[in-house]
Amino acid sequence: MPATLSAPAPAPAPTRWRDAKRYAWLLSGLFPGLAWLNVWQAGRSGDAFWLWLLPGVMYTLIPLLDTLLGEDRSNPPEALVPALEADRWYLVVLLVFVPLQFGLTLHGAWLAVHGGLGWVGLAGLVVTVGGINGIAINTAHELGHKHAAWERWLSRLVLAPVAYGHFFVEHNRGHHRRVATPEDPASARLGESFWAFLPRTMWGSLHSAWQLERDRLTGRGHGPWHWRNQCLQAWAMTALLYAGLVAWLGWAVLPFLLVQAFYGAQLLEVVNYIEHYGLLRQRGPDGRYERCAPEHSWNSNHRMSNLFLYHLQRHSDHHAHPARRYQALRHFEEAPQLPSGYAGLLLVAYVPPLWFRLMDRRVMAHYGGELGRANVQEGKRGRLEKWWGKGRER
């Protein structure tokens, strides 16, 4: 749901300003190309080492660079935002990702069947191809929020390799309306582990997307199985892609496609888990939730992970202005800040005791020790009340 944010006070329009990250954004667009080079090397040499470079970059190098390079809290001058958003360079950076993603997927599928890889190599191939297709959901996310019909169609195409086309429907019309509430399947609750969140969000998002499309089509006098159903359109793209690959490479490719798709989808969902963990919009006197504000999203300004994720970590501004392009997203001081970029928190989120130890106290501090203001996982309230009570005593 759109919101009104307390943006920084407007400054006099500068006569000159240059985006210092203008060419660094190519790290996002070219990322699948770098992974594709690794796949070529693995196919040429037969060495599985090359297939484990991408997870090494994702889980180790990017967090390390985030630590070394620190944060960037600068915002573009508001007077220059229209020109910044109209600059086609940033759209080209976004579009470069798409052919490289599909090239990697096709080559990876061939290598899975004909590459003679052992289990170590196949596992590396899954995390390389699935990792890029998971990151591609963020590219689809950026395209899917835009007004141009061709960008929205391209968003669904980008989701085809990861078989998560319903994300286009649920994220835009479900998550943005229900974010930071118990009703949102993509908002993690305080005390909820990632492994409890994962099946809840996967099934809940699928169910919600279908319901949203069924209601939309009913209002237009159509049934849910009508060809205009955007879920069916997106899933048809996946079916055509997978069927084409099976026709080319045989049924042996299908397990690889399904496993890499699951890995990519869970990569999206672990980021969802991080983005709104424990945060809750309060109800007003009329019983309705307050409008989404900066304090309802965890943010990070760590440089390197933001460059690889099209500023996804400036999540508060995105929820306030979904159509605002990535290069113009702003930092807000009132938004709660993560201790690291997303890349540095992925492995932590997989280990619930580490995650709870790192993040629960931050939720506690954000709400001044008032558990009733947080989005709490039912069944965990008693334990959390005891823990928070001890925290107040200290």
Side-chain angles (χ1 to χ4, degrees), residues 333-388:
E333 291 295 336
E334 59 265 45
Q337 299 298 309
L338 291 167
S340 170
Y342 290 170
L345 295 173
L346 297 177
L347 294 180
V348 177
Y350 293 149
V351 185
L354 292 180
W355 176 259
F356 295 150
R357 185 175 182 85
L358 179 70
M359 289 301 298
D360 283 10
R361 62 187 179 88
R362 287 178 164 82
V363 178
M364 180 177 70
H366 181 60
Y367 287 119
E370 298 180 37
L371 184 62
R373 296 175 61 197
N375 187 7
V376 180
Q377 173 78 343
E378 290 306 321
K380 303 290 184 180
R381 190 174 293 272
R383 178 183 67 81
L384 289 166
E385 284 176 346
K386 291 180 181 179
W387 188 85
W388 282 45

Side-chain angles (χ1 to χ4, degrees), residues 86-107:
D87 189 334
R88 306 298 282 182
W89 164 256
Y90 297 95
L91 181 59
V92 168
V93 169
L94 197 65
L95 298 180
V96 162
F97 189 102
V98 181
L100 295 176
Q101 173 206 359
F102 275 84
L104 168 68
T105 301
L106 296 178
H107 192 172

Side-chain angles (χ1 to χ4, degrees), residues 18-307:
R18 178 180 177 274
D19 180 9
K21 297 178 283 192
R22 180 180 177 83
Y23 298 106
W25 289 116
L26 280 170
L27 289 172
S28 299
L30 295 177
F31 199 22
L34 299 176
W36 195 0
L37 287 176
N38 293 337
V39 170
W40 276 106
Q41 273 298 100
R44 186 187 65 82
S45 67
D47 191 343
F49 162 79
W50 296 99
L51 299 173
W52 288 96
L53 281 179
L54 181 77
V57 169
M58 284 173 49
Y59 295 117
T60 304
L61 181 59
I62 293 176
L64 177 61
L65 291 174
D66 270 341
T67 301
L68 294 175
L69 299 178
E71 296 182 88
D72 172 20
R73 297 193 171 208
S74 63
N75 291 329
E78 198 61 29
L80 300 183
V81 164
L84 182 63
E85 292 205 314
D87 189 334
R88 306 298 282 182
W89 164 256
Y90 297 95
L91 181 59
V92 168
V93 169
L94 197 65
L95 298 180
V96 162
F97 189 102
V98 181
L100 295 176
Q101 173 206 359
F102 275 84
L104 168 68
T105 301
L106 296 178
H107 192 172
W110 181 90
L111 196 63
V113 175
H114 296 297
L117 301 174
W119 287 108
V120 172
L122 281 172
L125 187 64
V126 164
V127 295
T128 294
V129 176
I132 290 298
N133 283 329
I135 294 169
I137 301 177
N138 185 46
T139 304
H141 168 260
E142 178 69 20
L143 291 165
H145 274 297
K146 302 306 175 277
H147 298 303
W150 72 267
E151 289 186 78
R152 295 167 67 82
W153 272 103
L154 188 58
S155 170
R156 279 173 272 182
L157 181 65
V158 170
L159 293 168
V162 79
Y164 226 59
H166 58 280
F167 170 83
F168 174 83
V169 174
E170 161 56 20
H171 179 83
N172 291 6
R173 288 156 44 204
H175 174 63
H176 270 260
R177 179 167 55 87
R178 296 182 297 237
V179 63
T181 71
E183 293 78 25
D184 180 30
S187 293
R189 302 160 185 166
L190 182 66
E192 181 180 29
S193 74
F194 170 68
W195 304 109
F197 172 77
L198 184 61
R200 179 173 75 84
T201 190
M202 281 188 158
W203 169 249
S205 297
L206 178 64
H207 180 267
S208 174
W210 185 259
Q211 186 79 20
L212 286 166
E213 275 302 273
R214 187 178 70 176
D215 293 346
R216 183 180 71 86
L217 290 169
T218 297
R220 298 185 178 190
H222 303 304
W225 295 98
H226 195 273
W227 66 268
R228 286 193 176 93
N229 186 316
Q230 293 179 347
C231 291
L232 295 179
Q233 292 170 354
W235 295 334
M237 293 180 186
T238 296
L240 286 172
L241 174 64
Y242 283 19
L245 288 171
V246 167
W248 173 35
L249 299 169
W251 288 102
V253 76
L254 190 58
F256 166 77
L257 293 174
L258 295 176
V259 174
Q260 68 83 28
F262 177 79
Y263 177 78
Q266 70 78 34
L267 200 59
L268 160 75
E269 298 301 357
V270 73
V271 169
N272 274 338
Y273 179 76
I274 292 167
E275 286 172 338
H276 305 284
Y277 177 75
L279 302 179
L280 180 67
R281 286 155 52 198
Q282 308 302 313
R283 290 187 185 271
D286 59 357
R288 300 174 64 183
Y289 287 111
E290 63 182 324
R291 296 174 72 85
C292 189
E295 60 263 27
H296 299 128
S297 302
W298 290 100
N299 280 248
S300 169
N301 286 292
H302 288 81
R303 295 173 188 270
M304 190 55 60
S305 47
N306 261 325
L307 286 173

